[in-house]
Amino acid sequence: MNIRLRHDTIVRILRRNGTSTIDALAQSVGASRRTVLRDICALRDQGFVIHSETGRGGGVQLDPQSMQTTARLSVAEVFALLISVAAMRAAQNLPFSDLADAGLAKIERSLPPDKVRDLRRFLDCLHIGQLSPQQDLSDLGPITPALLPAFETAFLQQLHLRFLYRDAKGAETLREVEPQAMLILSPLWYWVGWDPARDDFRHFRMDRISDPKAIEGTQFRRRHVPFADDVCPYNNLTR
Amino acid sequence: MNIRLRHDTIVRILRRNGTSTIDALAQSVGASRRTVLRDICALRDQGFVIHSETGRGGGVQLDPQSMQTTARLSVAEVFALLISVAAMRAAQNLPFSDLADAGLAKIERSLPPDKVRDLRRFLDCLHIGQLSPQQDLSDLGPITPALLPAFETAFLQQLHLRFLYRDAKGAETLREVEPQAMLILSPLWYWVGWDPARDDFRHFRMDRISDPKAIEGTQFRRRHVPFADDVCPYNNLTR
DNA sequence: GTTTTTGGTGACAAATTTTGGCACCAAACT
DNA sequence: AGTTTGGTGCCAAAATTTGTCACCAAAAAC
């Protein structure tokens, strides 16, 4: 049996049985006592917390507190999780977000450094505020999932975004703006862009945007986006 | 150099440089061409998507789309993430929650089976609905993070929960109920318990609960909890 | 207090895996 | 046609892993 597979098997057995003696493990796994002891040692090196007790009724035991999961997530999935937690903050009451944050922080630490740089930069542009109760939400539509990667790409590469925008009256116009920030006023999500044609910032409700495209060769500089006082940068929320 | 370490190093180099030839990798890693080829093969077996091109200017390249992260999360952290996403659903507009779901599904798959059973059972009791706009939120308080594990433990072991409850007028009473369900009407969170003293279900706002304790030796049976029509079980939302 | 059970360590030869070198193939570019 | 670059099969050398054995320490049983 493969050494890696054997390690996994041992962990699985310990998880299932709770506790087990070295000899029992050796038998289940088809290896010698010595080898299993070496495996336990290796697993401890890998970060597993394994308690052991000598004497009758003793054995080794995986610390249930330290039970961990290793999941492979794509960068896009991490982004999505992060934004979910961000939105969750936006939705006011945040009972367990500290734990969620800790989980996300770990995930973030395991990302490749350049992706973390991108992530940080993206989160810098993310802002969260409270929607005023008077806001009319009657025509609230669904947000296309493809909008996030489109914005992310254009924002990170600092390229103009061209998209179709449907205004409150239903009229559609083709817009081309510098993507400068993103604003969540749950349940509304906005892109904040600098519109060169109008020489000013514009907010675009994401549920009214369609067909976004980054335009090659249209480098722009980042600008300071003015926000109302009650709008908080995401990075301020996370300290 | 250790084989495992070498694999990691190769991945790191590919992530940093984007693309590299086998010979260059072999040199950086201090191994032979043949070995690096074998490593690439092993990495592919492990799920890494590695493109390769022959000829001048060719080389191997990690698929940036498939770039993955491995993070070790504790079970509690996974719970917290899950609940965050659940709450996010409760907060209506869910642009990217599919991706977040996919990430969570992966995490869930990597949990030990008994924990998944617990998780499923817990999620079965989780319900999500819309708060009526007339609700008075003026006295909305913070929710103690310790409430989640307390409820979770008592719910899973089917033990009575005893806690202090502060009613709308501020009067505190000691309650002991069977924890039967959990309800999110964002931003309000509720425990739904069967109160044996009153022989009926009661809702308890989590921001009014303190000092929860599971009572040993008070096994109860699960009951069907009646909910309003617009309240949806979490598991219905996730299909 | 002696015996038994159980985790843990060191040493060394045997078994197994990994590695490097080599020959050689296929695709793509010059 | 020649060069660059990924990819495979083969085999002996190198390195690692494994099993055996002797032995230690702690805890429980007798």
Side-chain angles (χ1 to χ4, degrees):
Chain A
M1 187 192 259
N2 184 350
I3 176 169
R4 221 139 157 173
L5 180 60
R6 203 178 54 228
H7 286 184
D8 289 350
T9 309
I10 289 177
V11 170
R12 201 149 6 98
I13 292 176
L14 285 181
R15 288 217 251 239
R16 206 185 51 223
N17 298 358
T19 178
S20 173
T21 68
I22 298 291
D23 287 322
L25 280 176
Q27 185 141 31
S28 329
V29 111
S32 70
R33 201 178 93 93
R34 187 68 182 85
T35 300
V36 172
L37 275 161
R38 270 191 281 246
D39 288 341
I40 297 284
C41 210
L43 287 171
R44 280 176 174 149
D45 285 346
Q46 280 171 46
F48 288 89
V49 178
I50 298 175
H51 303 295
S52 61
E53 277 186 28
T54 64
R56 224 179 266 270
V60 288
Q61 182 180 21
L62 249 183
D63 186 321
Q65 294 304 313
S66 81
M67 265 198 201
Q68 289 179 334
T69 165
T70 61
R72 291 205 160 166
L73 306 185
S74 73
V75 174
E77 286 164 343
V78 174
F79 258 77
L81 279 173
L82 249 156
I83 296 218
S84 289
V85 175
M88 159 89 180
R89 276 181 213 289
Q92 309 125 55
N93 225 19
L94 336 159
F96 317 118
S97 59
D98 281 355
L99 260 180
D101 269 352
L104 285 177
K106 279 194 194 170
I107 292 179
E108 187 184 316
R109 274 197 294 278
S110 75
L111 282 173
D114 58 324
K115 287 289 160 187
V116 172
R117 223 175 21 249
D118 283 358
L119 198 55
R120 286 267 162 67
R121 205 175 291 155
F122 177 75
L123 291 179
D124 276 341
C125 92
L126 194 59
H127 289 71
I128 293 169
Q130 294 294 328
L131 198 65
S132 79
Q134 302 95 305
Q135 180 79 38
D136 175 30
L137 297 176
S138 56
D139 69 333
L140 179 60
I143 298 179
T144 317
L147 290 186
L148 178 64
F151 180 87
E152 186 196 316
T153 311
F155 174 80
L156 290 177
Q157 296 179 25
Q158 295 173 251
L159 296 177
H160 283 198
L161 258 175
R162 188 182 293 154
F163 54 87
L164 275 174
Y165 193 65
R166 199 182 64 254
D167 68 18
K169 296 182 195 90
E172 289 209 319
T173 47
L174 187 67
R175 313 297 286 263
E176 183 174 331
V177 303
E178 306 169 352
Q180 296 280 1
M182 199 157 159
L183 173 64
I184 305 180
L185 303 176
S186 191
L188 296 181
W189 295 57
Y190 294 90
W191 284 358
V192 183
W194 174 268
D195 190 332
R198 291 162 180 80
D199 203 39
D200 198 5
F201 287 103
R202 287 284 184 276
H203 286 54
F204 302 94
R205 260 174 60 174
M206 287 181 68
D207 57 312
R208 294 179 170 167
I209 291 173
S210 58
D211 208 18
K213 234 180 234 111
I215 310 299
E216 293 296 328
T218 53
Q219 206 75 15
F220 66 84
R221 280 175 313 119
R222 299 202 198 286
R223 298 163 193 269
H224 174 74
V225 185
F227 279 111
D229 286 344
D230 61 337
V231 169
C232 182
Y234 173 81
N235 283 331
N236 270 27
L237 288 171
T238 54
R239 269 144 305 161
Chain B
M1 187 193 262
N2 183 352
I3 177 168
R4 219 137 159 173
L5 180 59
R6 205 179 51 228
H7 286 184
D8 289 350
T9 310
I10 289 177
V11 170
R12 200 149 8 95
I13 292 177
L14 284 180
R15 288 217 250 240
R16 205 186 52 224
N17 297 358
T19 179
S20 172
T21 68
I22 298 290
D23 287 321
L25 280 175
Q27 184 141 32
S28 324
V29 110
S32 70
R33 198 179 95 94
R34 186 70 185 84
T35 300
V36 171
L37 275 162
R38 269 192 281 247
D39 289 341
I40 296 284
C41 209
L43 287 171
R44 279 177 174 146
D45 285 347
Q46 281 173 44
F48 287 89
V49 178
I50 299 176
H51 303 295
S52 61
E53 277 186 29
T54 65
R56 226 178 266 267
V60 289
Q61 184 179 21
L62 250 183
D63 187 323
Q65 293 305 313
S66 81
M67 264 197 200
Q68 292 180 331
T69 163
T70 61
R72 291 203 160 167
L73 306 184
S74 74
V75 174
E77 284 164 344
V78 174
F79 258 76
L81 279 173
L82 248 156
I83 297 219
S84 290
V85 175
M88 160 87 180
R89 275 182 213 291
Q92 310 124 54
N93 223 18
L94 339 157
F96 316 118
S97 59
D98 281 356
L99 260 180
D101 268 352
L104 286 177
K106 279 193 196 171
I107 292 178
E108 186 184 317
R109 273 197 295 281
S110 73
L111 283 172
D114 58 324
K115 287 289 161 187
V116 171
R117 222 172 24 247
D118 284 357
L119 198 55
R120 287 267 161 69
R121 204 175 293 155
F122 177 75
L123 290 179
D124 275 342
C125 92
L126 193 59
H127 289 70
I128 293 170
Q130 294 296 328
L131 199 64
S132 79
Q134 302 94 305
Q135 179 79 40
D136 175 30
L137 296 175
S138 57
D139 68 334
L140 179 61
I143 298 179
T144 317
L147 291 187
L148 179 63
F151 180 87
E152 187 196 313
T153 310
F155 174 80
L156 290 176
Q157 296 179 25
Q158 295 173 250
L159 296 177
H160 282 198
L161 257 175
R162 189 181 293 155
F163 53 89
L164 276 174
Y165 192 65
R166 200 181 63 254
D167 69 18
K169 297 183 195 87
E172 288 210 319
T173 47
L174 187 67
R175 313 298 284 264
E176 182 173 330
V177 303
E178 307 170 352
Q180 295 280 2
M182 198 157 160
L183 174 64
I184 306 180
L185 304 176
S186 190
L188 295 180
W189 296 56
Y190 294 89
W191 284 358
V192 183
W194 175 268
D195 190 332
R198 291 162 180 81
D199 201 37
D200 198 5
F201 287 102
R202 285 284 183 276
H203 286 55
F204 302 95
R205 262 174 59 173
M206 287 181 68
D207 57 311
R208 292 177 172 167
I209 292 172
S210 57
D211 209 17
K213 236 181 232 107
I215 309 300
E216 292 298 327
T218 54
Q219 206 75 15
F220 66 84
R221 280 176 315 116
R222 298 203 200 286
R223 297 162 193 268
H224 174 74
V225 185
F227 278 112
D229 287 342
D230 61 337
V231 169
C232 183
Y234 173 81
N235 282 332
N236 271 26
L237 288 171
T238 54
R239 269 142 307 156

